[in-house]
Amino acid sequence: MAYVSGYFVNVYSAIAVAVAMEMGPREMTILAIMVLTSHNMIVETAVQKKTGTSAVRMVLLRTLSGLFLGMLMNLLLPGGGRDAAPSAGIAAGGDFMGLFVPWLKDTALLLSKMVVIIFSLNILQALLAEFGVIRAISRFLRPLLKVFGLPPRCSFLWIIANTVGLAYGAAAMIDETRKSKITGYDIDLLNTHIAVSHSNVEDIALFASVGALWWAVLLSRVLWAVLMVWCYRLWHNIRNKFISLQVPDSSGGNL
């Protein structure tokens, strides 16, 4: 339920369901990776489609990546197996008020944390954008983007996606793609990366506040995103070479 809620709605709804289940750090980390890879699917896919990338490809990429990373981390993270202890929320018994009051206190504390985190990050992002710090950082990160397989001219959009996210940064991303001299291929490369790994400040902070291992959530998605970009570049080059071989020359043969 937590994953499905996050898939169709957003991260907040997934966390609300997950907290009620009182998951441990291992389970919360796996859920965080899956949800952050494929959340808010309808809205964020619409944003990526607006920038020029196939909506079907983005849905398949994010859905399959989320499921695969979840299964992979279930194998890699220690503490799994049949002998793992059941969560306290499922095993607990007692009367209604005995369960409701602790849940209400925990939920109020969680909401307080989320409000502080969200407002603090929004203020910080606004200040960085106002004083041109984000654009300066984007120029500094251009060499790193080459390692990621992304064109340097996409550095500013990459910063937007990783700080503000796709849904909140939709207007800025769409406007930037229209103004910038960015090709459709460049946008496809960028969307392939940020489809899997974006909003790596606020969303990771929220899941970390409820027990997820932030470094595992960040590292797994970034590495997978880089792999997906290089796979897409390889597929694109192979396809172009194949197409060029099918183009007829002036004598009537194939080039």
Side-chain angles (χ1 to χ4, degrees):
M1 286 298 297
Y3 173 70
V4 172
S5 178
Y7 185 94
F8 287 106
V9 188
N10 53 34
V11 173
Y12 311 115
S13 61
I15 291 178
V17 177
V19 169
M21 298 175 63
E22 298 186 12
M23 293 182 174
R26 181 181 185 275
E27 291 75 19
M28 191 64 76
T29 300
I30 295 174
L31 176 66
I33 293 171
M34 296 178 66
V35 169
L36 295 186
T37 301
S38 53
H39 65 271
N40 203 1
M41 189 65 65
I42 297 175
V43 174
E44 294 189 347
T45 300
V47 172
Q48 292 191 295
K49 185 177 187 300
K50 195 72 174 179
T51 62
T53 299
S54 167
V56 174
R57 187 166 70 84
M58 290 297 98
V59 170
L60 290 175
L61 172 63
R62 297 186 67 190
T63 303
L64 295 178
S65 293
L67 296 175
F68 175 79
L69 288 176
M71 291 186 290
L72 179 64
M73 296 306 293
N74 184 50
L75 297 175
L76 295 179
L77 289 178
R82 296 181 179 179
D83 296 331
S87 66
I90 297 175
D95 61 297
F96 173 76
M97 292 304 296
L99 296 174
F100 177 74
V101 174
W103 172 84
L104 185 61
K105 291 180 179 179
D106 292 341
T107 302
L109 179 60
L110 172 64
L111 289 176
S112 300
K113 289 181 180 179
M114 292 175 67
V115 168
V116 172
I117 291 172
I118 293 171
F119 273 95
S120 300
L121 291 176
N122 284 340
I123 293 172
L124 177 61
Q125 290 163 1
L127 290 174
L128 293 178
E130 180 67 23
F131 292 101
V133 177
I134 291 182
R135 286 195 176 274
I137 295 176
S138 69
R139 290 192 294 269
F140 176 76
L141 290 177
R142 286 179 180 178
L144 178 63
L145 261 64
K146 290 184 178 180
V147 178
F148 286 176
L150 300 173
R153 64 179 69 91
C154 291
S155 58
F156 180 65
L157 294 177
W158 186 84
I159 289 289
I160 293 177
N162 276 272
T163 54
V164 183
L166 293 181
Y168 298 129
M173 291 189 63
I174 294 171
D175 182 62
E176 189 70 16
T177 55
R178 289 173 178 173
K179 294 189 302 183
S180 303
K181 296 179 180 178
I182 302 177
T183 65
Y185 175 58
D186 293 342
I187 290 297
D188 281 345
L189 289 174
L190 176 66
N191 276 330
T192 298
H193 182 101
I194 64 178
V196 176
S197 176
H198 66 269
S199 193
N200 284 323
V201 180
E202 178 182 317
D203 289 352
I204 289 182
L206 291 176
F207 266 108
S209 70
V210 294
L213 304 175
W214 68 267
W215 57 268
V217 178
L218 176 64
L219 189 61
S220 60
R221 291 163 55 242
V222 170
L223 291 178
W224 185 255
V226 172
L227 177 61
M228 291 297 97
V229 169
W230 283 107
C231 287
Y232 180 75
R233 290 175 68 101
L234 177 62
W235 173 83
H236 185 267
N237 291 336
I238 293 176
R239 187 190 65 172
N240 284 350
K241 289 182 179 179
F242 177 79
I243 292 175
S244 66
L245 293 175
Q246 306 305 311
V247 177
D249 59 22
S250 57
S251 63
N254 290 334
L255 294 177

